[in-house]
Each structure stands twice: as structure tokens, then as C-alpha cells.
Amino acid sequence: MPATKGRDRKSADEITTMRVRRSTRDTLAQRQRELGSPSLDDALRTILFRQRAYEAIARLKDNPDQLADYQREAHELAEVDVEVHE
């Protein structure tokens, strides 16, 4: 592996920068605090995950049979009693 001048070699997708309006950054920082996220990156990932979930649920609403199946499965999973061993 070639020398990296004393720094660890990072993958290309590990860290990047993004230009946003200051007000957008401030809004994201506010959401970060509200979510209790450790970083802006984590807050943004949470927001994007939730948005995809909302979109998926909206698609389910267009298909009542699939929505009923989803709700039934979600209820079954919520009722699972998991035993914890220490």
C-alpha cells in the first residue's frame, strides 16, 4: 500500500462536504438537537430514513390489501416477547 503522508487512507465515500444555505444548516442542527443525534450526519440519515418510510406507507395506502398485511405483520412483531439472557 502506498504511503499516505501519515494519515489513514479513507474511502472516497467516507466523508465529503456539501454546500447548503446557512438557514438549512441551522434547521438541520435544530433537528439534530430534537432527535438527540450525535452529529448532523446522523440526523440527516434519520430524516432521510423516515422520509423513505413515510413514502412507503403512502404507497401502501393506495393498496388496502398490502396495507392490511403490513399492519397485521407490524402488530405481530410488536407482540413478540423477547427473552433477555444476561
Side-chain angles (χ1 to χ4, degrees), residues 65-84:
D65 292 334
Q66 283 184 349
L67 178 58
D69 289 344
Y70 170 80
Q71 290 172 329
R72 189 171 24 261
E73 183 178 348
H75 179 73
E76 288 171 9
L77 290 173
E79 296 299 316
V80 171
D81 187 17
V82 179
E83 187 175 333
V84 177

Side-chain angles (χ1 to χ4, degrees), residues 28-29 31-50 52:
L28 181 56
R31 290 296 296 142
Q32 174 194 3
R33 289 187 293 277
E34 292 167 357
L35 293 167
S37 297
S39 67
L40 293 176
D41 179 71
D42 188 64
L44 183 56
R45 288 166 144 298
T46 298
I47 292 165
L48 293 173
F49 174 82
R50 288 178 179 180
R52 286 189 301 269

Side-chain angles (χ1 to χ4, degrees), residues 2-5 7-9 15-16 21 25 27 29-30 41 45 47-48 53 61 63 65 69 72 74 77-78 84 86:
T4 58
K5 297 184 182 180
R7 287 191 262 155
D8 292 338
R9 187 166 210 150
I15 296 181
T16 189
R21 293 178 193 270
R25 188 251 176 240
T27 299
Q30 177 62 37
D41 179 71
R45 288 166 144 298
I47 292 165
L48 293 173
K61 287 181 179 181
N63 186 325
D65 292 334
D69 289 344
R72 189 171 24 261
L77 290 173
V84 177
E86 292 187 31

